[in-house]
Amino acid sequence: MFEHVKAFPGDPILSLNEDFHDDPRDNKVNLSIGIYFDAYGNLPVMAAVRDAEYALAGEIEPRPYLPMAGLPDYRDAVHQLVFGNACSAHTKQRIATLQTLGGSGALKVGADFLRRTLPDAQVWISDPSWENHRVVFERAGFIVNTYPYYDSATGGVRFAAMLDALRVISHRHIVLLHACCHNPTGVDLDRNQWREVISLIEKKELLPFVDMAYQGFGMDLEDDAFAVRELTARGISCLVANSFSKNFALYGERCGGLSVVCQSDEEATRVLGQLTGAVRSNYSNPPTYGAKVVHRVLCTPALQESWKSELASMCRRITVMRHAIYERLQGRIPDAILSRYIQQRGMFTYTGLSAEQVDRLRTEHGVYLVRSGRMCIAGLNEQNIHVVANAIASV
Ligand code: LMR
């Protein structure tokens, strides 16, 4: 039956992370996967999450299946965080939000829904984009194309080329956008650029699918959602995938959300129905625990405050590490490339290192980056930064 099955070539991020864990070297450094590690190199349990878990431990309840769309209170909390306080009750009714298995689950459910809804559409992702974007949409049956994004000469955005490409995409095609902390480059659009892109999307009747996996790691929770809120305020139909893996450090709980902004509450009801159909055919309904933790934090004012302040301090530590690696590499690599460490934002920097240099970092120095040259700055700390700087300088 399975003689013809080919070997899985591995995933460029997750398989590398597994290789890291199997690497016996003591001084190895994991800058591959998009995970936040604290100043001591540990994966944190956020204080608000821990407190919510203690509280929930005293409230053990039966665990029926959740509704296909997920825990209703959690869905409300997702909505609030993604669309903000300014979103009126009227607008809220136009948005179908459901609980998903992390941000990837949101992309998959959204992709399945769109494939049935807009069968002639193609998908356009940035060049480059998160490796899994192409895979998710291709496996859902889409043709996936790219639009220009990263300028390797300047370390910024090829904005004019991006607009030119968007201008010639046929209407009702799907454009995948990164709300903040662009993965893998760490290069985001500024507000004026977002406004221009959104106007073009509106004019050309494109369908934006916004991936917001890193809300809170760019500027802050509100600023990072600017594109989503601008699209919604302008009444543009769109999809938004969000995740609590990073900003709650709840990677293994698979907590996320998918929101579809529609033109009326009646349309949103029909869309939500089709989304739950996509959930049913994938995994029936989502799990309970992580959603309860996230909801408890977001609906308890003291916990929410604590969560926001810890998230802000995680974000600040990343900025400190950006400057620290910048200083350690000064005079050792060309300035034009060096400046990217402090210009780019979020967890990632596109270092400009080639795949061969990345391979040497791993084999000769035990320093793991993704082969695209993407470095997760959140894996740096005062203990490992000299190893990393020396390794980079030497390759
Ligand atoms: C990453 O980009 O490293 C993370 O989003 C983890 C993943 O699933 O790829």
Side-chain angles (χ1 to χ4, degrees):
M1 288 292 181
F2 306 122
E3 271 169 357
H4 61 289
V5 174
K6 296 197 185 84
F8 177 49
D11 180 82
I13 299 173
L14 297 188
S15 302
L16 194 62
N17 189 47
E18 289 166 18
D19 290 349
F20 173 82
H21 287 289
D22 293 341
D23 187 330
R25 287 174 287 184
D26 285 337
N27 63 343
K28 60 185 179 176
V29 182
N30 192 2
L31 307 177
S32 61
I33 194 158
I35 289 185
Y36 177 88
F37 295 98
D38 68 15
Y40 304 98
N42 299 320
L43 185 63
V45 178
M46 296 179 82
V49 167
R50 193 193 50 226
D51 290 349
E53 290 199 72
Y54 280 135
L56 289 169
E59 303 170 16
I60 304 292
E61 287 175 334
R63 223 134 320 165
Y65 290 125
L66 287 188
M68 290 176 283
L71 205 61
D73 289 345
Y74 171 90
R75 291 166 52 207
D76 281 347
V78 167
H79 179 97
Q80 178 76 17
L81 195 66
V82 171
F83 296 97
N85 291 329
C87 182
S88 66
H90 174 66
T91 307
K92 187 176 174 199
Q93 282 167 355
R94 290 197 287 112
I95 304 175
T97 296
L98 81 165
Q99 178 184 339
T100 58
L101 302 184
S104 302
L107 292 167
K108 168 69 174 142
V109 169
D112 283 354
F113 162 72
L114 292 175
R115 186 73 188 128
R116 290 172 68 89
T117 310
L118 300 169
D120 298 327
Q122 296 186 13
V123 174
W124 298 76
I125 61 175
S126 60
D127 176 22
S129 200
W130 179 48
E131 276 85 348
N132 210 27
H133 280 149
R134 174 176 289 281
V135 180
V136 167
F137 285 97
E138 281 184 349
R139 291 219 175 179
F142 283 105
I143 292 174
V144 178
N145 313 282
T146 57
Y147 58 84
Y149 190 79
Y150 184 68
D151 188 340
S152 55
T154 64
V157 180
R158 297 176 60 198
F159 190 60
M162 176 184 179
L163 290 182
D164 287 345
L166 295 182
R167 256 181 221 113
V168 294
I169 298 178
S170 308
H171 80 291
R172 292 180 162 230
H173 280 215
I174 299 150
V175 180
L176 197 292
L177 300 160
H178 301 229
C180 58
C181 310
H182 184 271
N183 182 1
T185 67
V187 180
D188 288 337
L189 301 182
D190 64 30
R191 285 194 172 201
N192 285 335
Q193 289 173 324
W194 270 123
R195 288 192 187 98
E196 265 190 80
V197 165
I198 290 171
S199 295
L200 193 52
I201 280 173
E202 190 171 21
K203 184 164 159 224
K204 296 287 306 181
E205 290 180 45
L206 304 177
L207 179 59
F209 196 147
V210 186
D211 187 347
M212 187 158 63
Y214 293 86
Q215 189 180 7
F217 280 98
M219 294 295 278
D220 57 46
L221 288 163
E222 305 304 315
D223 201 271
D224 290 353
F226 173 77
V228 169
R229 295 179 189 174
E230 184 74 9
L231 283 162
T232 313
R234 293 212 212 166
I236 298 172
S237 299
C238 62
L239 289 85
V240 184
N242 77 292
S243 167
F244 296 112
S245 297
K246 331 279 177 180
N247 56 18
F248 269 74
L250 276 176
Y251 306 87
E253 291 296 342
R254 312 310 297 134
C255 295
L258 174 66
S259 300
V260 183
V261 179
C262 301
Q263 293 304 311
S264 68
D265 51 353
E266 182 271 332
E267 185 180 292
T269 305
R270 282 185 283 115
V271 166
L272 184 65
Q274 290 301 331
L275 293 171
T276 57
V279 167
R280 177 63 165 152
S281 63
N282 272 300
Y283 50 87
S284 266
N285 40 48
T288 313
Y289 184 72
K292 284 206 164 190
V293 174
V294 170
H295 169 253
R296 180 59 62 100
V297 171
L298 292 177
C299 79
T300 313
L303 294 184
Q304 191 188 117
E305 254 336 285
S306 152
W307 168 67
K308 283 183 176 166
S309 109
E310 190 169 350
L311 178 59
S313 72
M314 288 157 79
C315 194
R316 278 196 299 277
R317 198 190 82 75
I318 294 177
T319 308
V320 169
M321 284 300 118
R322 285 189 178 280
H323 286 270
I325 186 81
Y326 175 84
E327 279 157 26
R328 300 230 179 198
L329 286 172
Q330 232 161 10
R332 303 171 82 183
I333 66 170
D335 280 354
I337 292 174
L338 184 58
S339 55
R340 294 174 194 180
Y341 286 88
I342 48 176
Q343 277 161 3
Q344 299 171 354
R345 64 178 189 172
M347 279 199 193
F348 304 120
T349 276
Y350 225 35
T351 59
L353 292 162
S354 67
E356 291 67 33
Q357 287 171 316
V358 169
D359 289 346
R360 284 186 58 205
L361 283 179
R362 189 180 65 256
T363 53
E364 295 171 22
H365 303 275
V367 174
Y368 282 66
L369 270 67
V370 178
R371 289 190 91 230
S372 63
R374 186 191 83 170
M375 176 193 286
C376 180
I377 300 282
L380 288 174
N381 57 51
E382 286 300 335
Q383 291 73 250
N384 66 24
I385 199 159
H386 65 284
V387 175
V388 175
N390 291 342
I392 290 176
S394 83
V395 302

